Amino acid sequence: MKQLTYEAHAKINLTLDVTGRLDNGYHTVEMVMQSIGLHDNVTVTAETGTGAIEVTTTSGSLPNDKSNLAYRAAELFFSELSLPNSGVAIHIEKNIPIAAGLAGGSTNAAAVLCALNELYHCQCSKDQLAAMGVKLGADIPFCIYGGTMLASGIGEQLTRLPAAPQCSVVLCKPPVSVSTPAIYREMDRVEIAEHPDTQAVCEAIRTGSYAGLCAGLCNVMQPVTGGWHPEVLEIRQTLLDCGADGAVMSGSGPSTFGLFSDPDAAQRAYNALKARYADTFLTDFFDPMD
């Protein structure tokens, strides 16, 4: 047997704009995506001799069958490369909250693809793995690359940006569930009051302007999710009251984060939110190039 453990990092959206709707029902987006230090640990063991794909997790809320993206990623890998499966065991040590707008399932799937590629010495490039991954989910290509990226299309068209200015990140997920398809349906019904200036945020990142980055944080889904779940807006206000330089919801929510240049202010915000919400984290930006 052969075994590898990958860190599967969560992502946040520094900007998120919905730019259109395709005939197949998918929406086009433009967004700046950022990996953060918060991560799951995904251990993949190959050639177990079972001839099956087995998934175990530390979370009682995650399925262990084909409805788990990690399982489907392994299945896809063997199918795409016409490789026999002599047995694969996948264990996910879960730290990223589930259904939180943080690409937790997608980053696990990305880790499985990368681990199997290495374990089977397939030498697929990241571009090739991303082309596989997008068949399962639009966030998987980003999770394969990681770092700071501009995403367009349905989220799979990626442009590498320089590493964003480093800061403390306080992230909080209230105990509510958000349906991404339901949010998109509502987005089709409402008029978007404020679109992000994504290009300005990209320029701030390119020039290393932390102030410009914070000023540009914007997510068009925040008013919709926040309207359904007031906790989202309350968490954002708490972050700002504690000294965040900027705060916004990630993805379709409900996770909301604040950026802090002052570590002491970040700690105060973490303490204030952790007292109310178990899924509160103090982390930072993650750059896979470091």
Side-chain angles (χ1 to χ4, degrees):
M1 292 189 291
K2 303 177 290 185
Q3 187 177 89
L4 277 176
T5 298
Y6 265 70
E7 291 185 355
H9 286 262
K11 67 84 185 168
I12 54 176
N13 296 91
L14 303 177
T15 68
L16 196 165
D17 198 6
V18 178
T19 56
R21 191 171 187 272
L22 302 174
D23 291 340
N24 62 7
Y26 280 93
H27 290 74
T28 56
V29 294
E30 184 178 60
M31 52 194 177
V32 178
M33 303 173 78
Q34 174 66 52
S35 301
I36 58 174
L38 176 65
H39 64 273
D40 295 341
N41 293 308
V42 180
T43 299
V44 180
T45 306
E47 299 177 357
T48 61
T50 65
I53 298 168
E54 300 168 291
V55 178
T56 56
T57 76
T58 57
S59 168
S61 304
L62 274 181
N64 295 333
D65 56 16
K66 288 189 179 185
S67 57
N68 188 309
L69 272 178
Y71 184 111
R72 287 158 59 195
E75 197 173 50
L76 178 71
F77 181 85
F78 291 115
S79 172
E80 289 283 307
L81 296 177
S82 300
L83 289 173
N85 173 21
S86 60
V88 170
I90 300 165
H91 180 69
I92 303 170
E93 181 189 321
K94 201 71 187 157
N95 300 306
I96 303 169
I98 298 164
L102 303 173
S106 294
T107 195
N108 293 162
V112 168
L113 291 174
C114 292
L116 289 174
N117 184 51
E118 191 171 344
L119 287 167
Y120 283 87
H121 308 291
C122 292
Q123 299 183 326
C124 292
S125 66
K126 286 190 174 181
D127 289 349
Q128 290 171 306
L129 293 175
M132 280 187 219
V134 75
K135 296 177 181 180
L136 297 178
D139 282 343
I140 295 176
F142 170 79
C143 294
I144 287 171
Y145 297 108
T148 312
M149 285 195 154
L150 171 66
S152 57
I154 61 169
E156 88 292 5
Q157 297 173 20
L158 300 170
T159 303
R160 170 72 67 189
L161 294 169
Q166 189 55 270
C167 59
S168 297
V169 180
V170 178
L171 174 74
C172 181
K173 177 193 177 289
V176 297
S177 297
V178 173
S179 164
T180 300
I183 297 295
Y184 271 113
R185 285 194 295 272
E186 187 67 11
M187 295 296 301
D188 289 337
R189 295 179 56 250
V190 303
E191 184 175 347
I192 297 174
E194 180 188 8
H195 290 272
D197 188 343
T198 297
Q199 293 309 314
V201 170
C202 291
E203 185 59 23
I205 291 170
R206 291 188 183 102
T207 59
S209 172
Y210 174 70
L213 167 59
C214 292
L217 297 179
C218 183
N219 181 343
V220 297
M221 294 183 176
Q222 182 175 274
V224 173
T225 305
W228 290 356
H229 302 288
E231 302 97 319
V232 169
L233 303 182
E234 291 166 6
I235 289 167
R236 179 176 182 270
Q237 192 58 52
T238 298
L239 290 164
L240 294 171
D241 290 345
C242 288
D245 301 305
V248 73
M249 187 182 79
S250 182
S252 59
S255 296
T256 301
F257 66 90
L259 305 184
F260 294 80
S261 54
D262 180 351
D264 292 335
Q267 187 66 54
R268 286 194 297 272
Y270 170 80
N271 292 343
L273 288 169
K274 187 69 174 179
R276 294 160 54 199
Y277 300 107
D279 285 332
T280 302
F281 306 90
L282 177 56
T283 184
D284 55 9
F285 290 165
F286 172 73
D287 179 8
M289 305 303 180
D290 283 352

